[in-house]
Amino acid sequence: MLYAIICQDVDNSLEARKATRPAHLERLEKLQDEGRLIIAGPHPNIDSEDPGQAGFSGSLILAEFGSLTDAQAWADADPYQAAGVYANVIIKPFKKVFPQ
């Protein structure tokens, strides 16, 4: 089943994001290689694809996991979580309707 992992950053998370980004991307690339990643990316703090020093307010990951427990365990092990980038993480089952 698909799960949406919705993450909200702490204030001023940009430096911690930059430092931890390679390890975070490595885990996403593994999901992609396994054919389980649908989409992933950050939410810019401003209306720009490159927010510069404005940074990001959080992230969205949509991926396939065997269960909600598996999705939670994956999210709990995210390097951004360990680095204190995320203030809050919500995981919800997701039913894809479109595109077909």
Side-chain angles (χ1 to χ4, degrees):
M1 178 161 199
L2 295 177
Y3 293 89
I5 302 172
I6 306 156
C7 310
Q8 182 178 344
D9 282 19
V10 298
D11 291 337
N12 303 312
S13 63
L14 186 58
E15 292 309 313
R17 270 183 169 273
K18 286 180 180 179
T20 314
R21 188 170 190 259
H24 173 75
L25 293 181
E26 184 177 316
R27 295 181 78 240
L28 290 170
E29 288 170 357
K30 183 175 185 214
L31 282 179
Q32 181 174 286
D33 292 346
E34 294 169 352
R36 297 169 43 205
L37 182 64
I38 305 303
I39 194 167
H43 300 286
N45 269 326
I46 60 173
D47 190 13
S48 173
E49 289 214 14
D50 182 5
Q53 290 303 310
F56 300 92
S57 64
S59 299
L60 171 67
I61 299 164
L62 184 59
E64 185 177 341
F65 293 94
S67 68
L68 180 59
T69 301
D70 292 344
Q72 183 69 59
W74 188 90
D76 288 346
D78 192 306
Y80 279 174
Q81 191 75 297
V85 171
Y86 295 145
N88 186 32
V89 177
I90 298 170
I91 302 171
K92 296 181 176 186
F94 182 83
K95 181 181 177 190
K96 181 181 173 191
V97 176
F98 288 102
Q100 296 180 347

